[in-house]
Amino acid sequence: MKASKFVSTHSVTAKLMTTASVGALLFGLSAAAQADNWRYAHEEYEGDVQDVFAYAFKEYIEDNSDHTVQVYRFGELGESDDIMEQTQNGILQFVNQSPGFTGALIPEAQIFFIPYLLPTDEETVLEFFDESKAINEMFPELYAEQGLELLKMYPEGEMVITTNEPFSSPEELDNKKIRTMTNPLLTETYDAFGATPTPLPWGEVYGGLQTGIIDGQENPIFWIESGGLYEVSPHLTFTGHGWFTTAMMANQDFYEGLSEEDQTLVNEASEAAYDHTIEHIKGLAEESLEKIQEASDEVTVTRLDEEQIQAFRERAPQVEEAFLEMTGEDGEELLEQFKADLEAVTNE
């Protein structure tokens, strides 16, 4: 009897311990669910604009919750296409990718590659991104169709073309192999400009310029400086044809699965990162150009005058036509709204 009683008591104790252990484990899991480590990848190097945005987002999240954010820079998880695939598959929670790469997935995102659509004036461009209905209302719906929650679109800088020889007219770009992102409309743009568009992954651009596989490329000045592109492509030309734009988004299933509190946190962090980044890019182009000119005596800088720009601008309508052919009614509606939004900020 005593033995039986002992066993019974031991069983009860064991059960109580097991229950306590399971309870502790469940509590731990619950706490872990409440404090997650979110993964966020972008396309740029340390200190570049997307990195500035990512770290401002991370700081806001970590200062205002128990969550942590792990940021992955260019190349750490592959090229742009890889990080987008990982986000759509839920491996990453957040991704920053420019419409240059998203264009194959969301054809309407190629609107940013219609040359001379956006003005060159920084203040007007920033105001447009703040107030545009096309960007803040229409684009989120297009991204949602691909399982992506668009949190912010923002400009990074005016596009500048670097080449192995100076140029000031479309004729001088004839047969020049200009690297483009894997984007059908960007290909159309450089075709219209008289060049030979040559799609190439970013990781191969420096070497391609160095070996003459390509004769030039386009990027914002800060990217030309941080990537050292001026070392192998020293002739910089300001054509005024567009701005580099990017988008920060979340995996939609992940975002919709968040508590209301966490969704608000993510939205507020995106806004805070946007505000911080917009301040960061003001004057950034000038600073980067100064660094380039200090670092190299071979660099030349050409700013096309109005007459020279007009020769390129005259070729833009065929790119707009190609955009409409690629995107149909949705693209037409977006373009109309885009132009109306631009007119609103230009005429204020």
Side-chain angles (χ1 to χ4, degrees):
M1 280 291 291
K2 281 184 180 178
S4 168
K5 189 175 179 183
F6 173 77
V7 169
S8 174
T9 307
H10 179 75
S11 298
V12 170
T13 308
K15 278 182 182 174
L16 285 170
M17 284 179 69
T18 305
T19 306
S21 301
V22 169
L25 180 63
L26 287 173
F27 178 77
L29 286 173
S30 168
Q34 287 167 5
D36 291 330
N37 180 51
W38 295 336
R39 294 176 294 280
Y40 179 145
H42 65 74
E43 306 169 308
E44 295 178 356
Y45 298 123
E46 182 178 355
D48 285 340
V49 175
Q50 289 184 22
D51 197 51
V52 167
F53 188 101
Y55 273 86
F57 178 84
K58 170 186 169 74
E59 186 179 337
Y60 189 94
I61 294 288
E62 293 179 356
D63 284 351
N64 293 280
S65 73
D66 292 329
H67 302 308
T68 53
V69 178
Q70 175 70 43
V71 176
Y72 299 91
R73 296 178 173 124
F74 173 78
E76 290 179 14
L77 298 176
E79 291 267 358
S80 289
D81 292 346
D82 300 315
I83 59 175
M84 174 54 81
E85 194 177 318
Q86 289 160 26
T87 305
Q88 287 186 295
N89 291 336
I91 297 164
L92 292 170
Q93 283 72 50
F94 301 100
V95 68
N96 202 314
Q97 189 184 65
S98 74
F101 291 106
T102 317
L105 191 67
I106 304 166
E108 294 86 352
Q110 298 178 100
I111 195 167
F112 295 102
F113 295 94
I114 297 174
Y116 300 102
L117 186 58
L118 283 171
T120 52
D121 176 62
E122 187 179 88
E123 201 175 310
T124 309
V125 170
L126 298 182
E127 194 179 343
F128 168 72
F129 273 84
D130 267 346
E131 298 181 11
S132 167
K133 182 182 174 185
I135 285 176
N136 298 304
E137 293 179 29
M138 296 172 81
F139 266 115
E141 292 174 12
L142 294 166
Y143 277 72
E145 289 169 14
Q146 301 301 328
L148 298 162
E149 184 73 25
L150 179 61
L151 294 165
K152 269 295 168 191
M153 271 191 155
Y154 59 97
E156 294 193 46
E158 183 185 342
M159 292 304 257
V160 177
I161 303 173
T162 73
T163 46
N164 56 355
E165 294 175 333
F167 73 91
S168 57
S169 68
E171 289 72 28
E172 288 173 333
L173 278 182
D174 191 34
N175 293 325
K176 289 282 185 190
K177 297 185 291 293
I178 303 294
R179 179 263 175 175
T180 62
M181 290 178 273
T182 49
N183 178 298
L185 203 72
L186 192 54
T187 300
E188 192 75 34
T189 295
Y190 276 93
D191 196 41
F193 283 176
T196 303
T198 309
L200 203 64
W202 169 246
E204 297 173 30
V205 174
Y206 189 98
L209 290 164
Q210 197 170 29
T211 56
I213 292 169
I214 49 175
D215 302 310
Q217 61 84 49
E218 65 158 30
N219 259 302
I221 280 285
F222 79 85
W223 195 221
I224 292 164
E225 189 269 320
S226 70
L229 299 179
Y230 63 90
E231 298 165 351
V232 286
S233 188
H235 302 290
L236 281 55
T237 305
F238 287 76
T239 52
H241 72 278
W243 274 68
F244 190 85
T245 298
T246 195
M248 185 267 192
M249 61 209 96
N251 172 288
Q252 197 171 43
D253 287 342
F254 157 76
Y255 180 83
E256 289 179 350
L258 292 174
S259 65
E260 198 174 318
E261 185 184 352
D262 278 347
Q263 282 187 4
T264 301
L265 174 73
V266 165
N267 294 339
E268 287 175 351
S270 305
E271 287 293 340
Y274 176 82
D275 291 344
H276 177 76
T277 305
I278 293 304
E279 283 306 309
H280 173 76
I281 66 170
K282 289 176 182 174
L284 180 63
E286 290 78 5
E287 287 171 32
S288 301
L289 185 56
E290 277 177 28
K291 287 180 186 174
I292 289 171
Q293 290 175 313
E294 282 170 17
S296 171
D297 293 333
E298 291 180 32
V299 167
T300 67
V301 178
T302 305
R303 294 182 187 271
L304 300 188
D305 62 31
E306 271 308 309
E307 190 179 334
Q308 291 168 327
I309 285 173
Q310 188 56 29
F312 286 94
R313 190 183 276 118
E314 283 169 1
R315 297 171 178 236
Q318 73 185 71
V319 185
E320 190 171 305
E321 201 174 301
F323 172 77
L324 294 171
E325 281 173 18
M326 289 175 194
T327 57
E329 284 182 21
D330 285 351
E332 188 175 357
E333 191 183 341
L334 183 70
L335 184 58
E336 281 176 16
Q337 187 60 54
F338 212 88
K339 287 181 175 178
D341 295 343
L342 279 166
E343 197 174 332
V345 295
T346 307
N347 293 335
E348 276 182 5

